[in-house]
């Protein structure tokens, strides 16, 4: 394995960081809002599935209870 001295390493890191395309504030805001919206929709979906399963099980249990 080739060894790199610390100065070369820092220069390489700076070169790689310069290639990064950083998101704008608007992009960060929009993606954050989308994450919250998708989390809320997912929570709503699983809540509805839970209600349906619970009511179905209660219906079956009342037949045998």
């Amino acid at each position: 394995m080739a060894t790199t001295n610390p100065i070369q390493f820092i220069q390489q890191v700076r070169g790689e960081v310069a290639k990064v395309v950083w998101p704008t504030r608007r992009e960060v805001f929009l993606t954050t809002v989308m994450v919250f919206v998708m989390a809320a929709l997912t929570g709503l979906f699983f809540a509805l599935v839970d209600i349906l399963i619970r009511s179905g099980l209660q219906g079956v249990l009342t037949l045998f209870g």
Side-chain angles (χ1 to χ4, degrees):
M1 182 164 68
T3 59
T4 305
N5 68 27
I7 294 173
Q8 284 179 329
F9 176 75
I10 291 172
Q11 288 172 344
Q12 290 173 358
V13 169
R14 282 185 151 179
E16 291 299 319
V17 169
K19 295 177 188 177
V20 174
V21 178
W22 298 100
T24 63
R25 285 184 185 261
R26 179 175 167 80
E27 290 172 333
V28 172
F29 175 76
L30 288 176
T31 53
T32 302
V33 168
M34 288 307 299
V35 167
F36 280 111
V37 167
M38 292 305 294
L41 289 175
T42 303
L44 182 63
F45 170 76
F46 283 113
L48 291 174
V49 168
D50 182 55
I51 290 169
L52 289 173
I53 291 173
R54 186 177 357 144
S55 63
L57 281 174
Q58 285 176 344
V60 168
L61 290 175
T62 55
L63 292 174
F64 296 109

